[in-house]
Amino acid sequence: MTLTVLAVDDSRTMRDMIRLALVPNGFSVHVAEDGLDGLDVLSGLAPDVIITDINMPRMDGFGFIDAVRAQEDHRATPILVLTTESAADLKMRARNAGATGWIVKPFDPGKLVKALHMVTG
């Protein structure tokens, strides 16, 4: 079964790394450059899981998670935060916004694949 992933990150390098980690493992990967772009891409997509950065221009990860959770179709879609941040208060804020999990960059590709399989169960 192919899992569809939406990866939202303002870093082209990070988007490429996510794609390189996931595509060979059978994932279909769609990317967006920030929260607003992510919402545009999401409008035509039914992802099994969403990966988002926190620090992005135009709309950050918190705003993006809030906007996704406000949509009926995506209330239960798992959202993993992939960021350089590791502060407990930010993790709590992300959880309160509706994030499913938190992965700190730089990420281990194998662990990312495992985490995605865990949250999509």
Side-chain angles (χ1 to χ4, degrees):
M1 177 183 91
T2 301
L3 291 175
T4 301
V5 176
L6 170 59
V8 183
D9 199 302
D10 58 318
S11 161
R12 176 186 299 275
T13 302
M14 191 52 60
R15 293 192 305 270
D16 289 347
M17 286 173 63
I18 292 168
R19 192 181 274 124
L20 285 170
L22 300 183
V23 171
N25 285 288
F27 290 86
S28 168
V29 179
H30 300 261
V31 294
E33 296 176 10
D34 60 35
L36 290 177
D37 188 31
L39 292 175
D40 285 344
V41 174
L42 185 61
S43 68
L45 199 62
D48 295 293
V49 61
I50 297 169
I51 299 170
T52 184
D53 188 13
I54 289 295
N55 301 311
M56 298 181 287
R58 299 198 311 155
M59 178 187 277
D60 70 7
F62 296 120
F64 175 68
I65 293 168
D66 285 338
V68 170
R69 288 298 184 229
Q71 298 179 30
E72 191 67 43
D73 292 351
H74 303 294
R75 289 234 166 95
T77 304
I79 300 175
L80 287 180
V81 174
L82 181 63
T83 181
T84 54
E85 304 288 348
S86 59
D89 60 325
L90 291 177
K91 288 182 184 179
M92 183 61 72
R93 188 173 161 202
R95 277 212 190 283
N96 290 341
T100 312
W102 188 279
I103 298 173
V104 177
K105 296 176 187 173
F107 67 94
D108 174 285
K111 286 184 180 162
L112 179 61
V113 168
K114 190 181 258 181
L116 292 174
H117 282 297
M118 279 174 54
V119 298
T120 55

